C-alpha cells in the first residue's frame, strides 16, 4: 500500500498496536478507546493488518507461550501516525475556523 | 436428497447474488437446517438438522496460510462470528446471531474483497474458456469416432461449468462497479 495517509480504520489499528497486541485484542482496544463509537469488523481488520504489514508499518511476531501472532507498530508506522495526527488536527482546525468565520456562527454547536 | 438429519442442496450460485445466497442460508437455519460443509465440489451444501435458530450468514475471500488461519478465525470469533466451513482455504463461511456487526466495517476493504475475488475468477474464467474452445476444436477436427464422442461430451461438460464461472465473474465486476459508484457519491 503506498500510503502517506491512513484511512480511519487503518489509523485506529495502527494506534492500537503502539503496544504489541493480538489480533482480537485490537478490536476490543479500539472500542474502548473510542467509547464504542468506532468498531472494526474482523475481515476489515485482517485485510488491513496484512496491508500495514506488507507496507512495513507493523511487524508480526509469535508469542513464546503459544503460536498466536502479535502485532507491533514499527518506527516507520509510528512516524506515519505522528504525521497523520498532525494532518487530522489541522483538518479539525480548518473546520472550526470555517464555522467561526460564519456570520452568526453560533447557531451550530460543535463540542470543543 | 434427504436422510433424517442430513440434507444436500445445490447452491443457488454466488454468481447471481451473494446476499441472496446468505439470506437463503438464514432462512434454512430458521427452519432448523444448518450449513455444515460443502458438497458437490463446491457447487452445493450439506445441511444438518437442529433446533430452529435466527442466524445471519456471511462469507469472505482470503487466501490463508496455515499459520494465518488460526489468527484469522480468532478475530472472527472475538467479533461474534462462528466459523462454519471453508472451501479450499480461500472462501470462508461464518454465522452469527442477529445483531452482530458485519465483518467488513469500511468501504475500501469491502471493495478489496471483491477485487481479490475478481482476480481469481478472472483467471479461472480464462482457463475454462480456453478448455471449452479446445475441446470443441478437437471434437470438430478429429477423425476418430471414439475421440469425437469423447471430446463432444467434454465440450458439453466445460460449457456447463464455464458459464456459471463467467457469470460469477460478471457479477463481481458489477458489484465492484456499484461499490465504486457509492464511494464517488
Amino acid at each position: 500500500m503506498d500510503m502517506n495517509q491512513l484511512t480511519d480504520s487503518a489509523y485506529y489499528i495502527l494506534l492500537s498496536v503502539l503496544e504489541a497486541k493480538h489480533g482480537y485484542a485490537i478490536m476490543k482496544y479500539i472500542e474502548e478507546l473510542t467509547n464504542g463509537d468506532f468498531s472494526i469488523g474482523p475481515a476489515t481488520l485482517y485485510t488491513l493488518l496484512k496491508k500495514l504489514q506488507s507496507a512495513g508499518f507493523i511487524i508480526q511476531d509469535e508469542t513464546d507461550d503459544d503460536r498466536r501472532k502479535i502485532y507491533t507498530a514499527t518506527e516507520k508506522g509510528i512516524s506515519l501516525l505522528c504525521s497523520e495526527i498532525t494532518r487530522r488536527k489541522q483538518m479539525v482546525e480548518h473546520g472550526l475556523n470555517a464555522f467561526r468565520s460564519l456570520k452568526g456562527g453560533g447557531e451550530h454547536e460543535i463540542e470543543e | 436428497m434427504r436422510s433424517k438429519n442430513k440434507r444436500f442442496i445445490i447452491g443457488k450460485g454466488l454468481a447471481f447474488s451473494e446476499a441472496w445466497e446468505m439470506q437463503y442460508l438464514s432462512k434454512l437455519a430458521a427452519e432448523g437446517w444448518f450449513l455444515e460443509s460443502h458438497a458437490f465440489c463446491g457447487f452445493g451444501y450439506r445441511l444438518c438438522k437442529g433446533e430452529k435458530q435466527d442466524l445471519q450468514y456471511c462469507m469472505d475471500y482470503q487466501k490463508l496460510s496455515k499459520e494465518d488461519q488460526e489468527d484469522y478465525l480468532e478475530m472472527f470469533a472475538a467479533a461474534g462470528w462462528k466459523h462454519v466451513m471453508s472451501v479450499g482455504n480461500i472462501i470462508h463461511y461464518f454465522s452469527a446471531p442477529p445483531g452482530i456487526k458485519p465483518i467488513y466495517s469500511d468501504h475500501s476493504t469491502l471493495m478489496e474483497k471483491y477485487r481479490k475475488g475478481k482476480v481469481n475468477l478472472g483467471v479461472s474464467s480464462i482457463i475454462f474458456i480456453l478448455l471449452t474452445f479446445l475441446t470443441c476444436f478437437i471434437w470438430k477436427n478429429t477423425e476418430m469416432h471414439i475421440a469425437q464422442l469423447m471430446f463432444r461430451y467434454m465440450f458439453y461438460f466445460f460449457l456447463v461449468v464455464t458459464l456459471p464461472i463467467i457469470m460469477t465473474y460478471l457479477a463481481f465486476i458489477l458489484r465492484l462497479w456499484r461499490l465504486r459508484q457509492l464511494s464517488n457519491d
Side-chain angles (χ1 to χ4, degrees):
Chain A
M1 144 164 80
D2 47 35
M3 301 188 302
N4 40 24
Q5 282 181 15
L6 293 163
T7 62
D8 292 352
S9 308
Y11 174 72
Y12 279 120
I13 291 171
L14 205 48
L15 274 181
S16 57
V17 295
L18 284 171
E19 280 179 329
K21 274 187 191 59
H22 288 299
Y24 61 86
I26 296 173
M27 287 187 287
K28 231 180 104 200
Y29 177 85
I30 292 173
E31 291 215 9
E32 280 168 12
L33 183 73
T34 64
N35 297 319
D37 284 343
F38 198 90
S39 68
I40 287 203
T44 292
L45 175 63
Y46 185 83
T47 307
L48 287 175
L49 281 174
K50 284 283 146 194
K51 276 186 122 183
L52 288 166
Q53 200 185 341
S54 69
F57 296 125
I58 58 175
I59 46 161
Q60 193 187 47
D61 274 316
E62 271 174 24
T63 43
D64 297 334
D65 45 333
D66 48 22
R67 289 188 54 243
R68 283 187 302 196
K69 305 279 192 311
I70 48 166
Y71 301 88
T72 318
T74 59
E75 275 308 311
K76 193 180 164 193
I78 294 170
S79 82
L80 177 64
L81 258 183
C82 294
S83 66
E84 186 66 13
I85 288 172
T86 313
R87 187 182 75 88
R88 285 175 181 257
K89 223 169 157 183
Q90 280 168 352
M91 284 176 68
V92 170
E93 250 345 278
H94 300 154
L96 290 173
N97 288 343
F99 271 98
R100 279 192 207 110
S101 66
L102 281 180
K103 282 174 203 152
E107 290 164 36
H108 307 278
E109 278 188 30
I110 298 173
E111 286 177 43
E112 281 188 48
Chain B
M1 266 193 275
R2 231 173 230 267
S3 72
K4 235 181 184 174
N5 295 311
K6 299 273 177 237
R7 188 173 154 195
F8 292 88
I9 56 164
I10 300 280
K12 296 251 182 305
L14 295 166
F16 304 104
S17 167
E18 181 185 315
W20 197 35
E21 185 95 338
M22 295 302 119
Q23 273 163 24
Y24 181 54
L25 290 172
S26 289
K27 204 187 118 221
L28 286 165
E31 292 165 7
W33 287 101
F34 300 92
L35 176 62
E36 193 176 58
S37 66
H38 55 98
F40 314 124
C41 310
F43 284 102
Y45 302 119
R46 191 170 79 185
L47 308 172
C48 67
K49 184 92 182 145
E51 218 164 281
K52 291 175 189 178
Q53 252 186 71
D54 275 337
L55 280 182
Q56 45 171 336
Y57 282 88
C58 74
M59 54 174 300
D60 188 26
Y61 305 94
Q62 287 296 346
K63 204 168 183 178
L64 296 178
S65 67
K66 258 222 167 90
E67 305 97 70
D68 282 342
Q69 195 186 20
E70 201 182 331
D71 212 31
Y72 174 77
L73 296 181
E74 208 171 54
M75 289 179 206
F76 278 76
W81 286 96
K82 185 174 155 247
H83 179 239
V84 182
M85 65 152 186
S86 294
V87 184
N89 225 354
I90 294 179
I91 309 178
H92 313 278
Y93 286 72
F94 298 91
S95 71
I100 296 290
K101 290 174 192 161
I103 60 167
Y104 281 93
S105 55
D106 82 357
H107 198 83
S108 62
T109 47
L110 183 61
M111 268 178 80
E112 205 134 313
K113 167 182 174 183
Y114 294 107
R115 219 178 279 136
K116 261 181 287 181
K118 198 190 96 179
V119 173
N120 286 335
L121 278 165
V123 173
S124 345
S125 298
I126 290 166
I127 293 172
F128 276 95
I129 289 169
L130 286 178
L131 283 170
T132 311
F133 276 110
L134 187 73
T135 47
C136 180
F137 179 81
I138 300 177
W139 164 35
K140 293 291 182 193
N141 288 286
T142 185
E143 311 253 295
M144 263 172 65
H145 185 67
I146 276 271
Q148 254 183 23
L149 210 66
M150 205 173 81
F151 280 101
R152 191 170 131 197
Y153 284 107
M154 274 171 75
F155 168 66
Y156 292 155
F157 169 78
F158 280 121
L159 210 57
V160 170
V161 175
T162 307
L163 282 174
I165 294 176
I166 295 175
M167 270 150 82
T168 313
Y169 181 59
L170 292 177
F172 267 65
I173 291 180
L174 193 70
R175 177 86 44 91
L176 269 172
W177 181 72
R178 278 203 205 122
L179 280 168
R180 215 164 277 149
Q181 293 242 306
L182 277 173
S183 62
N184 286 343
D185 282 348

